[in-house]
Amino acid sequence: MILLRRYGTLVALVVIVAIFAIASPGAFGSVANLVNITQQMSLLAIVAIGATLVMVLGEFDLSVSAVVSWAGIASVALFGAGWPLALVFPLVLLSALVMGVVSGVLVARFALPSFIATLALGTVIGGLTFWVSNGATLFSGIPPVFRALGRGAILGVPVPTLWLAGVALVFWLVLDQTEFGRRLYAIGGNREAARLVGLPVRRDMVVAFALCALLAALAGLLLTARLGSAHPTGGGGYLLQAYAAVFLGMTAFREGEPSIPGTLLGAAIIAVISNGLTILGVPSFLQDVMTGAIIIAAVLIRHFGREGD
Amino acid sequence: MNPEDAPFLALTGVTKRFGATLALDGAALRIAAGSVHALLGENGAGKSTLIKILSGVHAPEAGMIRLDGREAAIASPRAAEAMGLRFIHQELNLVPHFDAVANGWIGRRHPRRGPFIDQRAMRARVAEVAARIAPDLPLDRPAKRLTPGQRQMAEIVRALMEPARLVVMDEPTSSLSEGEAERLHAVVRQLAAEGTAVLFISHRLDEVTALCADYTVLRNGRTVGSGRIADTNRDGLVALMSGGSDRRQDSASGGAKYAAPVAVADGSAAPRLSAEIAFGPAGEGIAFEAAAGEIVGLYGLVGSGRSSLLKLIWGAKPARGRISVDGAPLKGGIASRVARGLAYVPEDRRREALAAPLSIEASLALPHLSDFRAARSLPVSSRPAIRRFAQDVARRLRLAAASLQASPMTLSGGNQQKLVFGRWLGRRTRVMLVDEPTRGVDVGAKAEIHAELRRIAADGAAVIVATSDIEELIALSTRVVVLCAGRITADLAADAIDRGRIVAAAFGHAVTDVPPKAA
């Protein structure tokens, strides 16, 4: 019981995997499929890692899905105009960084509620994306080298999985081992206390929002590389799923704080459910119903578990 | 109180305990119908607790409440309301975006027309009450755009919407201008003339003697005096509140006498800390100095500006003026003060000092994380370095924690306070600013925190301690500075520290027999 209370989310993942493995031993349980799941979760998890940074502050960034779409459309539009990859990739990331700085300044300097500031900014970015793309799917002019960034495998590990591993490692170190990470947790825990001991509260908040947008843009670039095309609402599904992953992750550990391992676990649960249900032939609308129900169950278990602490 | 004044409300033997603190210890209060009654006492004398018992927020552990001679129980705020008792609290309790009409009807059965509330009837009723006491109160303006005095009036209007027998006003004039205060006094007199008693809590003794007919003085949770204002005077009231002029008594630490201020190490003549800043309600200047080795006790009533002064020195609020440490002016914000060896312990540790997600050891390292790097040029924290520091601090302060990896919220109040102190122990402290060092802290931890403050001062820091606990002030300070409404009204050297003088200065009396030390 204590195990369930403390590591309930991890236990849930193991149980879900076990159920699918029993229900569909050949297809779900195969090594190839499990590797495939890591690839399926990778882009979602990268967006969710960015959202985690902002959640540590106790804030939301609702513009992440708009930034994912923007990065895809902006990159293909620039490729179409003949720009080289070496310029497009950093430029798109830079544009997202600027967007994140704007959110961060609105929230940290001008004290706008992050919910409103990033919802509005997301709407602006969405509009810009439609403007650049004329509402159409873009696919011409994408160089093959770019496509390799989101496809294929190295030594049997899918490239998106490698990206995720790198991003997760870097940001786990940032949140867990650096002074910046500790400051973010302090600011999220008590912003006034952080200010009163002399922490650079505003600067750190802006940096967190900027990194969140940067990771959303990276996910958008990798998505475009994988698909070979970009749609102006291509990132639409990431917002709710990313926050679902973060919330599931917050239930994973005793402290109930957002963390990179927690978010990875949350993203894994979402990916496993989606993959397993697809293999079992469950229609996608029922998958959504079950995903939502599982998230509610996980948070409820955590809630009642905490009361017992 | 004269026997012929039949009290309509009488409390006797009221006792209330919060944990280890005895907030009320047999307090008594008798209020005559239609009288204006002053409730007086120092900070922490038990006034607020007594009012909360009257308003049904707290239940007393012992004691009796009689209303019109019959024993009564005030089980809830609703019961107090039904008995005709009204409370106007220090923090105003209006809904900011509601106007006076909407505020007046909160919590009451609104008049209806069919299924809808009858706005016209609502307004008519409020206008009727307002016409009696505050005819010029704008009824259609949201409370947030009223002046403090108008807000006070809106609260009184709300209190009088239904027949009231007693209106309790907790420092109603502390945020009012002179003119607004006079206006309020007129309303108080009118209420009394209409037969509604007023229990008036104020630290302004001029106002109390001019306005009130009767008084009750609380000290340490006991009623130490009551009677007619006409039979006493300001000095008599001050003496009752302070309990005479007790000489200072050395605290439990064996009566150690305090070292004279330590000479500044670099031999310069500049004081450790000097501040000349715009301060107070009118923004006039305040000049303030502290030497190395001193523990300067900063005393004053609620609203005197103790906490604000520390926050200004700490850079948490923008200050106009000049603050210097060892003769060199402070520039920039809080971070630069940390770098210059200043330290600050805020008043409210939960709101201003602790962050739940950080472990105890991380909380201890928070203000100077860069001291705990694994490699000097990389902003990566070394856990072993942080842990060593945390273990040292825990040992030095006897911080009792199940685990240093736990959240600070798992600690007791005293240990939380030690944690907030412990943050600053890793480095050489030149100036330590402490706001309420031992609020909500048990006796043992209190002695340990006092000992630590003395050690920090002995190590050459200037320590400035703001406290509302006069016992602590007298036990700890090598010098006492008293603030009243943003001005320094006394600056008492060690041998002039005396309870009577401190209280008199806190209430704005000039301290005649001790000339303030030249700054």
Side-chain angles (χ1 to χ4, degrees):
Chain A
M1 191 61 217
I2 288 173
L3 191 73
L4 187 65
R5 201 187 285 159
R6 231 175 248 186
Y7 302 105
T9 317
L10 194 58
V11 174
L13 177 62
V14 172
V15 169
I16 293 166
V17 169
I19 290 172
F20 284 133
I22 292 164
S24 165
F28 179 86
S30 69
V31 172
N33 186 53
L34 293 180
V35 168
N36 185 36
I37 289 174
T38 65
Q39 172 173 322
Q40 286 171 350
M41 71 181 269
S42 57
L43 300 187
L44 165 64
I46 289 173
V47 176
I49 286 170
T52 306
L53 297 177
V54 175
M55 271 304 273
V56 168
L57 292 171
E59 305 285 351
F60 287 90
D61 186 345
L62 302 186
S63 67
V64 285
S65 54
V67 174
V68 171
S69 306
W70 159 261
I73 289 295
S75 61
V76 182
L78 289 177
F79 287 137
W83 293 48
L85 174 63
L87 221 52
V88 170
F89 205 86
L91 212 61
V92 168
L93 291 182
L94 186 69
S95 71
L97 211 59
V98 171
M99 292 165 181
V101 167
V102 171
S103 307
V105 167
L106 288 176
V107 174
R109 171 70 186 81
F110 297 104
L112 257 63
S114 58
F115 223 84
I116 297 169
T118 59
L119 191 63
L121 200 74
T123 311
V124 171
I125 297 167
L128 289 177
T129 308
F130 265 88
W131 187 25
V132 169
S133 66
N134 269 323
T137 302
L138 304 186
F139 46 82
S140 56
I142 299 177
V145 193
F146 179 65
R147 299 225 46 201
L149 291 174
R151 288 195 306 180
I154 297 173
L155 299 173
V157 184
V159 170
T161 304
L162 290 173
W163 277 104
L164 171 59
V167 166
L169 181 67
V170 166
F171 284 90
W172 174 70
L173 288 173
V174 164
L175 270 188
D176 214 54
Q177 302 286 327
T178 67
E179 292 168 17
F180 172 69
R182 275 164 207 271
R183 292 200 303 261
L184 288 191
Y185 279 109
I187 294 167
N190 190 335
R191 200 191 296 187
E192 179 65 3
R195 186 180 82 89
L196 284 176
V197 294
L199 303 191
V201 171
R202 286 178 182 170
R203 194 190 70 199
D204 284 349
M205 289 181 72
V206 171
V207 171
F209 274 96
L211 290 174
C212 175
L214 185 80
L215 288 178
L218 177 64
L221 288 168
L222 297 179
L223 178 69
T224 308
R226 197 170 82 195
L227 298 178
S229 67
H231 189 268
T233 59
Y238 284 116
L239 177 62
L240 289 178
Q241 293 214 333
Y243 278 96
V246 176
F247 284 126
L248 275 173
M250 286 167 68
T251 67
F253 299 107
R254 193 175 165 73
E255 292 79 18
E257 295 296 330
S259 66
I260 301 301
T263 297
L264 283 178
L265 191 60
I269 289 177
I270 292 170
V272 165
I273 294 170
S274 161
N275 175 284
L277 292 178
T278 305
I279 287 175
L280 292 180
V282 175
S284 70
F285 58 86
L286 266 183
Q287 291 183 21
D288 285 350
V289 171
M290 293 186 73
T291 307
I294 286 170
I295 291 168
I296 292 172
V299 178
L300 273 181
I301 289 172
R302 172 72 206 177
H303 176 74
F304 289 114
R306 187 172 282 183
E307 273 179 6
D309 270 3
Chain B
M1 178 160 301
N2 296 342
E4 61 265 29
D5 293 340
F8 92 92
L9 183 67
L11 285 79
T12 45
V14 178
T15 301
K16 178 73 192 175
R17 186 183 287 279
F18 296 104
T21 322
L22 196 57
L24 287 177
D25 182 12
L29 175 67
R30 293 155 63 88
I31 300 173
S35 71
V36 182
H37 194 111
L39 182 60
L40 302 169
E42 289 175 18
N43 298 326
K47 293 169 302 198
S48 299
T49 310
L50 191 64
I51 289 164
K52 284 186 176 146
I53 283 171
L54 262 184
S55 63
V57 173
H58 292 323
E61 268 129 39
M64 187 184 281
I65 301 172
R66 283 173 177 278
L67 184 71
D68 296 323
R70 278 190 303 280
E71 194 173 340
I74 308 175
S76 68
R78 197 164 273 278
E81 172 96 12
M83 289 163 69
L85 310 182
R86 305 281 183 268
F87 298 85
I88 293 172
H89 292 286
Q90 232 165 313
E91 321 82 47
L92 295 177
N93 291 305
L94 298 171
V95 177
H97 53 271
F98 276 17
D99 61 17
V101 175
N103 267 303
W105 283 96
I106 294 172
R108 298 179 206 287
R109 217 186 136 74
H110 288 47
R112 305 249 174 148
R113 203 163 46 187
F116 303 110
I117 55 173
D118 185 346
Q119 309 241 15
R120 199 178 298 173
M122 279 171 65
R123 194 179 195 290
R125 174 76 187 119
V126 172
E128 187 188 319
V129 178
R132 232 170 66 220
I133 55 164
D136 54 349
L137 176 67
L139 295 183
D140 304 311
R141 196 176 296 168
K144 64 183 171 196
R145 289 202 281 118
L146 297 174
T147 67
Q150 287 172 331
R151 263 180 247 149
Q152 200 78 253
M153 290 302 159
E155 283 239 32
I156 295 173
V157 167
R158 181 166 80 174
L160 299 179
M161 288 283 289
E162 277 160 53
R165 301 196 59 193
L166 173 71
V167 180
V168 177
M169 298 186 183
D170 192 356
E171 294 200 52
T173 53
S174 60
S175 58
L176 300 189
S177 69
E178 200 65 25
E180 286 176 327
E182 275 167 28
R183 190 62 215 286
L184 183 89
H185 295 163
V187 170
V188 169
R189 289 196 187 91
Q190 188 188 341
L191 288 178
E194 290 172 4
T196 305
V198 176
L199 185 63
F200 198 82
I201 297 156
S202 174
H203 285 310
R204 299 185 182 175
L205 288 184
D206 296 323
E207 164 178 270
V208 164
T209 48
L211 185 66
C212 301
D214 306 315
Y215 69 88
T216 295
V217 177
L218 293 180
R219 191 173 73 236
N220 297 332
R222 286 191 206 98
T223 298
V224 293
S226 62
R228 291 199 157 277
I229 292 277
D231 301 336
T232 182
N233 56 26
R234 290 165 43 136
D235 292 339
L237 293 174
V238 169
L240 275 175
M241 279 186 277
S242 66
S245 49
D246 316 354
R247 295 294 302 177
R248 62 184 296 167
Q249 291 175 343
D250 283 318
S251 61
S253 65
K257 274 296 159 198
Y258 307 100
V262 181
V264 180
D266 57 15
S268 77
R272 185 41 53 90
L273 172 77
S274 79
E276 271 180 72
I277 41 181
F279 193 63
E284 66 264 53
I286 195 167
F288 182 80
E289 274 185 7
E294 269 194 311
I295 300 180
V296 180
L298 207 54
Y299 187 74
L301 300 165
V302 173
S304 60
R306 289 187 318 242
S307 298
S308 305
L309 183 58
L310 292 187
K311 282 213 162 84
L312 283 172
I313 297 173
W314 183 237
K317 287 176 155 190
R320 277 189 299 116
R322 200 183 132 88
I323 304 168
S324 307
V325 170
D326 295 335
L330 288 177
K331 295 192 192 81
I334 296 169
S336 70
R337 283 161 167 80
V338 174
R340 288 281 299 274
L342 276 75
Y344 174 60
V345 175
E347 177 178 16
D348 183 339
R349 54 184 169 265
R350 283 190 171 261
R351 212 172 55 73
E352 300 177 316
L354 297 176
L358 295 184
S359 63
I360 293 168
E361 53 186 28
S363 302
L364 283 168
L366 192 62
H368 34 100
L369 278 172
S370 56
D371 292 354
F372 305 103
R373 289 184 179 174
R376 193 178 294 177
S377 53
L378 269 181
V380 175
S381 301
S382 156
R383 257 166 227 257
I386 289 180
R387 188 150 305 163
R388 265 196 309 278
F389 170 66
Q391 282 164 349
D392 284 350
V393 169
R395 208 172 306 123
R396 176 163 164 186
L397 295 180
R398 285 193 244 170
L399 193 147
S403 153
L404 292 175
Q405 282 84 57
S407 164
M409 299 308 167
T410 61
L411 295 175
S412 71
N415 283 306
Q416 285 180 348
Q417 190 69 5
K418 287 180 183 175
L419 185 158
V420 181
F421 265 92
R423 281 180 171 170
W424 305 107
L425 294 185
R427 47 188 24 237
R428 210 166 118 67
T429 303
R430 308 183 78 79
V431 176
M432 178 123 200
L433 309 166
V434 189
D435 201 351
E436 298 292 354
T438 61
R439 179 174 286 177
V441 161
D442 62 80
V443 183
K446 192 169 177 169
E448 283 165 16
I449 287 170
H450 285 180
E452 193 55 45
L453 282 171
R454 292 195 183 107
R455 221 170 331 174
I456 291 168
D459 285 346
V463 177
I464 298 158
V465 178
T467 177
S468 57
D469 177 350
I470 197 160
E471 311 284 346
E472 171 169 272
L473 182 85
I474 292 171
L476 197 58
S477 310
T478 60
R479 205 178 103 209
V480 168
V481 170
V482 183
L483 289 175
C484 176
R487 284 168 195 277
I488 293 179
T489 49
D491 189 339
L492 307 169
D495 49 0
I497 294 175
D498 165 281
R499 202 183 171 117
R501 282 184 188 140
I502 292 167
V503 173
F507 282 92
H509 285 246
V511 178
T512 45
D513 52 348
V514 182
K517 258 176 32 176

